[in-house]
Amino acid sequence: MATASTSCTGGTGRQIAWVLATALSVAAGIALLTIYRPPLPARIAAVLVPIGCGLAYAFQLVHDMQKLDELQTRINLEATATACLGVFIAALVYPVVQSAGFAGPLQPYYVLILLSALWMAGYLNAYRRYR
Amino acid sequence: MKNRLKVLRAENDWSQAELAERLGVSRQTVNAIETGKYDPSLPLAFTIAHLFRKAIEEIFEPNGRDRSPAR
C-alpha cells in the first residue's frame, strides 16, 4: 500500500523504490526457498531481506508524512481510515461469502489488493473534496 | 467558517503559490481554505493572522452552522 502521497516527489520515489524492493525480495525469496531448498543461513536471509525492505519503506513513509501540511495529513488519514474500515468489514463478511460458495479460501494478497484499492479510492475521494 | 483570505491575498498581490510558500503549506491547502472547503487549525490560523498583521477574527468569521459555546 503506497500510503503517503507527498508533496515531496523525491520521498515518493523512495517509497516506490522500497515497495518494489520489498516485492522483488519476496518473489526472489519464494523462488529461492521453493526451487533450491537452501541451507538455514540462506533461508534466514530470504526471510530477513523482505522484512528489512518493508521496515525501510515504513521509515520512509513516516519520514515523508512528517513533511506533509495539515490538509495533506488529513487527506492521508481519511484514505487510511477508508482502507481500514473497508478491510474490517470485508474480514467480517468474508466467512459468510466463503460458506455460501462465492469465494475460495482467503489469501493474504487479497487483503493487500483490497487495502491498496480502498486506500487509493479514499485518497482520491478526499483529494477531490478539498480541491 | 467564512474568511477573507482571498481578499487579503489579492491586496498583497500574491498568488496562491506565493502565499502557500510564506505559510509553509501546499497551494491546495490555501485554495481549500479560500473556498471554505477546509478550516485551518488554530496554529495555521495564527500564522495567517500574523502574516497579514491582523487579528484572527478580522480574517475568519463563523457562518450560520458554527454554534456559539453553550453558557
Side-chain angles (χ1 to χ4, degrees):
Chain A
M1 182 174 62
T3 17
S5 160
T6 66
S7 58
C8 165
T9 52
T12 305
R14 280 191 287 272
Q15 279 183 42
I16 292 169
W18 280 120
V19 168
L20 287 176
T22 307
L24 286 174
S25 59
V26 166
I30 290 171
L32 178 77
L33 294 172
T34 53
I35 296 170
Y36 295 108
R37 307 269 178 193
L40 183 63
R43 292 209 305 270
I44 292 171
V47 171
L48 289 181
V49 170
I51 291 174
C53 291
L55 286 175
Y57 166 64
F59 280 118
Q60 185 68 51
L61 181 70
V62 171
H63 180 259
D64 292 343
M65 284 286 284
Q66 287 166 349
K67 289 181 185 169
L68 299 180
D69 72 18
E70 58 185 54
L71 179 59
Q72 291 167 329
T73 304
R74 186 184 181 124
I75 290 171
N76 275 274
L77 289 177
E78 285 189 25
T80 304
T82 303
C84 289
L85 185 62
V87 169
F88 174 72
I89 292 169
L92 280 178
V93 172
Y94 198 85
V96 179
V97 176
Q98 192 178 354
S99 298
F102 295 125
L106 185 62
Q107 301 292 330
Y109 59 83
Y110 290 172
V111 179
L112 284 179
I113 292 168
L114 181 65
L115 201 60
S116 301
L118 286 172
W119 189 90
M120 282 188 272
Y123 184 88
L124 289 174
N125 181 46
Y127 184 87
R128 198 181 55 200
R129 187 148 26 92
Y130 294 116
R131 191 170 61 185
Chain B
M1 196 158 58
K2 291 187 288 187
N3 68 76
R4 298 179 55 232
L5 194 60
K6 191 172 185 177
V7 175
L8 293 169
R9 180 172 63 77
E11 284 174 4
N12 285 276
D13 201 23
W14 291 337
S15 66
Q16 284 187 340
E18 282 177 290
L19 178 57
E21 193 178 335
R22 286 167 193 268
L23 294 172
V25 298
S26 65
R27 196 193 64 78
Q28 183 192 14
T29 301
V30 170
N31 184 60
I33 295 170
E34 281 188 2
T35 54
K37 290 177 181 171
Y38 175 68
D39 292 333
S41 66
L42 198 52
L44 180 55
F46 270 113
T47 306
I48 292 168
H50 181 75
L51 180 66
F52 290 112
R53 296 176 197 279
K54 292 190 179 298
I56 286 181
E57 57 267 32
E58 291 179 84
I59 302 173
F60 298 97
E61 58 179 271
N63 59 18
R65 61 199 171 114
D66 298 322
R67 294 173 53 201
S68 302
R71 291 182 187 275

